Amino acid sequence: MGAPASGAGVDAFVSYTGADEAWAVWVAGVLEAEGQTVVVRAWDSPAGTNFVTWTNRQMTIAKQTVAICSQAYFASHWCTQEWAGALAGNTLTPLRVERCAIPPVLDTIAHCDLYGIDETTARRRLMEAVGLARPQRRSGGFPGRPTPPVGAVFPGRLPPDGPRDVGMASPAPSGAVRVTDANPYLLGIHRPIRQAGTPTDVLPAYVERDADRGEDGVRGRLRAAARQGGFVLLVGASSVGKTRSAYEAVRVELPGWWLHHPADAAELAALAGSAQGRLVVWLDEVETYLDGDQVTGGTIRALLGAAEPIVLIGTIRADRHASHTLPPTTGEETQAQRRRCEVLRLADTIRLDTWFSDTETARAHTAAAGDPRLAACLRLDGRFSVPQHLAAAPALDDRWADAEQAAPYAWAVITAALDATRLGAHHPLAEALLRDAAEGYCDARRQAQAPTGWFTDALSYATAELHGATGVLNPVGAGMGVLVGHTPADYLQQQAAATRRMARIPASLWTALCDHLVDPDDISRVGAVAYRRLLYGVAVPLLRAGADAGDGDAAFALAQLLRGAGCWEELRDRADHGDDGARIVLLDQMMKEQDRVGLQARAAAGDSWAAQALIDLDGAASSAGGPPVGELLGGEGALRAQAAAGDRFATRRLVALYAWQRNRGELRVLADAGHREAEVQLVKLLVQDKNLVELRARADRGIHHAAYHLSWLLVEFGELQELRTRADRGEEHAGRTLARQLIAPEHHKELRTRADRGDVNAQIIRACISVRAGDHADLQHLADLHDYAAYLLARFLAVRGDHGKLKERIARGDLFAPRILAALLAQHSDDRLQRYGFALDGTIATRPTW
């Protein structure tokens, strides 16, 4: 049926953005085949028509507006006006054509998902959504499932009636096994404590967790993911049962599916281009896959968008999840941080509590009747949870603590290993590194009295198995008899991250890390930490190595450091040898100084970026505030081609052009492709537009810059209730902004209430109020626990000009005090700290130490 006559009523108007035109046309075709009168812009909007006026007219005469919902749709200004108008008239029917967040205002409107299913199912769902068919009324069967006996799994094929279909027709990916055949210990489950009479290779009886149950529990999320693909992520402290819960869930829900456990980030990235459906991708300790730039949000989306469902299931420690997803305290965000956040935001997150609830405890007592290990753990020290007891966490804790007096050289080796891991060395630590680092953890007397064989004895103490489960340090090999190094027990890594957060790092560890680290990601991470601490003698060699290995963040940090120190010769040399970070920083400095001679020399030597920068400079001068790039560079098309070929300088110039043109659409394309500067410029325009809708959408996708500005716009518009809602659901920028609004005396009651119920941001702001009254104690305590408090305390000390307190904070490991002290000294004409950083003995260097 064609378009209706002008002025005639229609059954449906299809609202969509250009990126989803194929979906809009398909929906329109299906509805017309059912006898509906449909209007869709691709078919019915006459040339030369004002499409805003035309759209408003069609929505007025249509009985319902069918919205083709996607990330691009919710990001579109005009589409937002369309669905908002339909929502006001109660005529909106949302159809999701990709996995995307629904704006909060639409949460109460039922929507229909058309992605991840075959066409027949999609047609049926469409008919039901628009009211042309009665929804199917069919039970999926009894939802309860008896817990299988320990070690016993039904080996046959289950009926192919839904997500539990074993999918035997699926080809086996290389290295994959059936879920039922997977070795739980190779998947990452901690080996349990030994108990007389219990086989060592049999898992303890599983105590079903409350988080396993319900539609939003682990198993409910897995069932949903099995229908359309999904990423389920379990978050919790170390040794609380995350991996065991994930293992039991896939064993019950997807027993016949293939399971692939990627060895590293490269293998996971390769899987995105080759994996077929009915596959479980096992990502225990998912942060190990987020090093480098191989795994991005695009990698995960490619897996989730496969023709047949692929299920990703992973685990991550709560402290690491927070560090990857919380906004940076100072607003500085590296590309690596952005990639990690983007990946983790794509997951359906389920949190697992450390302690058993009353119902879980009751289930544990029932299960303990047949498992002596579980029964023993229920009788043990209540300082630790049952899963922690099973994983020997108390023994690990005691072994490390006792070593300080009973085996001081072992304590030195263990603590050096834990500090190295805390600084970013996540791969096995070589014995030479541990030996060299341990010296600084012993006082002069113990250093002098160290017996022959002290290191061998220390390793024996540290690697001894506790209750047959694990050691404080665990050896890692690369073949028979080939030792790569040692890794600290995960539980102790978590403990050290908390208890040694403000502990001083001895010079011996920094030197050992410089001398012995070999993994590129470890090198870049430790180099970045040393850079933040202004330990340039450590940072420069590590950042050099990271930059030479292709780490863009390391290259840019190194270039910034060299510029600050005035090391122009090395900066030019790195730029001449293809270091993009050095080229960008060098050209930026030359443009600031309007160094046309230098730019001309580089351009004459064949540096196309210098030629573009020179045209930039001349164009900006000649156009009196006009565009810095554009036709002078050969046109937008030339810049596009250069950017598409990977030219980072051309991409930066393209972003500058689009920002000057206020071209939101092109900035949006670049931002969505992961270009940080485009995101920054786009958000600036959205703030100027007061575009709360798109800022909300981008904030909900985990984009920190958007979340920050959204929180302040909500304050400007008086939308404090939305700010409270966002703060209450854990959005850090909203929480910080709300707490700052409560600093006024009339809001102190709410501030106290929030602080008393555990809101850390409220506690920090309340402590700041005490600082104004001269009491620093509360803020100093919080600064030892939370980055935001540490940052604010350093700022307070700088305002007071308190050099001594800032130096004390630096000696204790504060990451924010070094740069704040450097800026304070520079204000008083002493720029040595800014230029050269600290020497390893804690004094301010007077010349380069690298």
Side-chain angles (χ1 to χ4, degrees):
M1 184 174 293
S6 178
V10 297
D11 293 308
F13 167 68
V14 182
S15 170
Y16 67 97
T17 189
D20 302 318
E21 185 168 282
W23 273 107
V25 169
W26 179 83
V27 167
V30 171
L31 294 180
E32 287 202 344
E34 295 294 323
Q36 297 286 290
T37 52
V38 183
V39 173
V40 59
R41 189 165 66 246
W43 292 344
D44 302 315
S45 177
T49 300
N50 182 314
F51 82 91
V52 177
T53 303
W54 178 85
T55 297
N56 288 334
R57 170 63 179 161
Q58 307 313 313
M59 291 177 63
T60 300
I61 63 176
K63 295 177 182 177
Q64 63 179 315
T65 294
V66 177
I68 307 299
C69 300
S70 64
Q71 289 185 13
Y73 184 79
F74 289 126
S76 166
H77 173 75
W78 295 113
C79 292
T80 296
Q81 309 308 311
E82 293 173 18
W83 68 252
L87 180 64
N90 293 320
T91 63
L92 184 65
T93 302
L95 304 175
R96 255 192 343 178
V97 297
E98 69 178 24
R99 192 181 186 89
C100 62
I102 296 291
V105 72
L106 293 183
D107 280 347
T108 58
I109 305 296
H111 63 271
C112 170
D113 289 343
L114 300 184
Y115 63 92
I117 55 178
D118 58 61
E119 184 173 3
T120 301
T121 306
R123 284 174 178 270
R124 175 176 58 77
R125 287 189 184 180
L126 174 58
M127 292 298 97
E128 293 171 359
V130 299
L132 296 179
R134 186 168 180 259
Q136 289 189 353
R137 300 170 67 86
R138 185 179 67 179
S139 166
F142 175 61
R145 295 178 178 85
T147 302
V150 176
V153 179
F154 174 60
R157 180 177 178 180
L158 297 172
D161 59 354
R164 299 181 72 197
D165 179 4
V166 296
M168 297 296 282
S170 303
S174 177
V177 297
R178 292 290 181 191
V179 166
T180 50
D181 297 330
N183 183 324
Y185 297 122
L186 295 181
L187 295 181
I189 292 177
H190 292 298
R191 289 194 174 272
I193 59 173
R194 288 179 182 167
Q195 190 79 10
T198 305
T200 57
D201 59 344
V202 175
L203 289 173
Y206 182 59
V207 178
E208 192 175 60
R209 306 301 298 268
D210 294 341
D212 291 338
R213 299 184 165 195
E215 183 180 348
D216 291 329
V218 181
R219 299 181 185 184
R221 299 278 182 90
L222 270 186
R223 286 193 293 273
R227 290 191 292 270
Q228 59 189 26
F231 181 11
V232 179
L233 182 66
L234 279 72
V235 179
S238 173
S239 304
V240 298
K242 302 183 298 295
T243 308
R244 181 68 188 275
S245 179
Y247 170 71
E248 295 295 337
V250 297
R251 203 165 67 127
V252 169
E253 298 296 337
L254 310 170
W257 284 39
W258 291 109
L259 183 146
H260 185 74
H261 188 184
D264 50 30
E267 192 171 310
L268 176 58
L271 194 64
S274 61
Q276 300 188 39
R278 300 193 180 281
L279 173 70
V280 175
V281 181
W282 186 265
L283 302 175
D284 189 52
E285 297 186 6
V286 69
E287 71 273 13
T288 62
Y289 298 94
L290 303 182
D291 292 334
D293 58 2
Q294 292 174 299
V295 175
T296 66
T299 309
I300 304 302
R301 283 190 287 270
L303 287 165
L304 298 181
E308 286 190 281
I310 291 177
V311 173
L312 286 74
I313 186 163
T315 67
I316 187 171
R317 268 183 15 208
D319 56 332
R320 290 179 175 173
H321 184 265
S323 69
H324 293 329
T325 56
L326 289 180
T329 297
T330 60
E332 297 179 0
E333 183 182 24
T334 66
Q335 292 289 351
Q337 288 171 320
R338 183 185 176 90
R339 282 192 298 270
R340 294 187 189 105
C341 183
E342 183 185 15
V343 168
L344 295 177
R345 293 280 183 175
L346 290 170
D348 288 328
T349 300
I350 301 171
R351 297 188 177 274
L352 208 62
D353 290 337
T354 299
W355 298 94
F356 275 3
S357 67
D358 290 343
T359 55
E360 289 170 335
T361 301
R363 289 195 287 270
H365 279 287
T366 300
D371 193 314
R373 290 168 297 186
L374 193 55
C377 290
L378 286 167
R379 296 192 297 268
L380 291 174
D381 184 354
R383 292 179 301 138
F384 297 88
S385 69
V386 171
Q388 287 172 338
H389 277 298
L390 282 171
L396 290 168
D397 208 42
D398 291 343
R399 188 77 168 173
W400 180 31
D402 292 346
E404 192 164 11
Q405 297 299 323
Y409 300 109
W411 181 87
V413 170
I414 294 165
T415 308
L418 291 169
D419 279 349
T421 303
R422 188 166 57 88
L423 294 175
H426 295 167
H427 289 76
L429 302 167
E431 289 191 354
L433 188 158
L434 295 175
R435 184 187 300 110
D436 292 351
E439 178 182 339
Y441 292 83
C442 299
D443 59 27
R445 182 175 64 85
R446 286 213 166 99
Q447 290 176 17
Q449 294 177 347
T452 302
W454 70 268
F455 183 67
T456 301
D457 293 343
L459 274 186
S460 295
Y461 179 99
T463 57
E465 278 196 355
L466 306 176
H467 300 301
T470 185
V472 173
L473 296 183
N474 295 289
V476 178
M480 297 297 290
V482 180
L483 178 70
V484 175
H486 294 81
T487 301
D490 186 68
Y491 175 77
L492 289 183
Q493 291 182 39
Q494 174 184 276
Q495 292 299 96
T499 61
R500 291 188 59 78
R501 183 175 182 275
M502 298 298 293
R504 177 182 172 274
I505 302 297
S508 62
L509 177 57
W510 289 116
T511 302
L513 290 167
C514 269
D515 291 345
H516 299 294
L517 284 181
V518 294
D519 181 82
D521 295 318
D522 284 356
I523 288 170
S524 292
R525 272 191 300 267
V526 176
V529 172
Y531 178 50
R532 288 188 67 187
R533 294 175 185 246
L534 272 59
L535 294 171
Y536 292 162
V538 176
V540 169
L542 290 176
L543 290 175
R544 275 181 188 142
D548 293 343
D551 186 316
D553 286 333
F556 191 72
L558 175 63
Q560 294 278 47
L561 192 160
L562 294 174
R563 171 165 63 176
C567 297
W568 301 110
E569 183 176 348
E570 179 175 352
L571 191 62
R572 291 189 189 95
D573 183 64
R574 296 194 69 86
D576 290 342
H577 287 84
D579 185 318
D580 285 355
R583 290 176 77 189
I584 288 172
V585 169
L586 180 61
L587 293 175
D588 180 66
Q589 183 67 24
M590 295 173 81
M591 290 181 71
K592 282 182 178 179
E593 297 174 355
Q594 298 191 16
D595 182 5
R596 287 177 172 78
V597 173
L599 288 171
Q600 287 170 348
R602 295 193 67 81
D607 189 332
S608 62
W609 291 11
Q612 291 180 348
L614 185 63
I615 298 172
D616 253 14
L617 201 59
D618 292 339
S622 64
S623 59
V629 290
E631 290 75 13
L632 292 170
L633 296 178
E636 180 182 335
L639 278 177
R640 277 178 175 274
Q642 293 162 3
D647 189 324
R648 293 176 61 191
F649 195 79
T651 305
R652 287 166 63 92
R653 304 277 68 79
L654 196 59
V655 168
L657 171 63
Y658 291 147
W660 177 81
Q661 293 176 337
R662 304 175 64 82
N663 189 334
R664 296 157 184 79
E666 294 295 347
L667 285 173
R668 193 174 287 120
V669 170
L670 288 171
D672 290 343
H675 194 283
R676 182 179 182 277
E677 185 60 28
E679 187 71 61
V680 170
Q681 296 297 338
L682 174 61
V683 168
K684 284 182 181 179
L685 293 178
L686 297 176
V687 172
Q688 293 171 16
D689 298 340
K690 311 295 185 185
N691 188 339
L692 288 175
V693 173
E694 186 168 353
L695 282 172
R696 284 187 183 106
R698 303 192 86 79
D700 290 343
R701 285 165 51 191
I703 296 170
H704 296 317
H705 199 61
Y708 172 79
H709 286 284
L710 173 64
S711 67
W712 286 108
L713 271 186
L714 291 174
V715 171
E716 181 180 334
F717 282 94
E719 299 285 351
L720 292 186
Q721 191 51 51
E722 180 179 344
L723 191 64
R724 288 185 178 93
T725 299
R726 288 179 171 273
D728 290 342
R729 71 188 190 198
E731 294 186 22
E732 191 67 13
H733 274 310
R736 290 179 188 174
T737 304
L738 176 63
R740 292 179 67 173
Q741 300 314 299
L742 302 179
I743 201 168
E746 63 269 23
H747 297 307
H748 283 185
K749 182 178 179 180
E750 181 180 351
L751 185 67
R752 282 194 301 272
T753 300
R754 288 182 169 273
D756 290 344
R757 75 184 191 201
D759 184 323
V760 171
N761 290 303
Q763 292 171 353
I764 291 171
I765 294 301
R766 189 167 67 171
C768 290
I769 294 173
S770 298
V771 168
R772 291 182 174 180
D775 182 0
H776 287 69
D778 287 346
L779 188 58
Q780 287 174 345
H781 170 71
L782 289 168
D784 289 346
L785 301 174
H786 304 287
D787 282 353
Y788 186 44
Y791 173 67
L792 291 177
L793 176 59
R795 293 287 299 272
F796 274 122
L797 294 174
V799 170
R800 287 172 43 189
D802 195 335
H803 295 194
K805 287 287 186 184
L806 282 170
K807 289 177 180 177
E808 286 180 18
R809 297 290 303 171
I810 292 167
R812 296 183 61 195
D814 188 307
L815 289 175
F816 302 98
R819 293 202 179 281
I820 289 175
L821 176 61
L824 184 61
L825 292 173
Q827 290 175 7
H828 295 85
S829 302
D830 182 359
D831 66 351
R832 292 175 301 155
L833 185 54
Q834 279 189 339
R835 288 168 62 84
Y836 309 124
F838 289 107
L840 284 180
D841 63 3
T843 60
I844 296 176
T846 56
R847 58 183 178 77
T849 56
W850 55 91

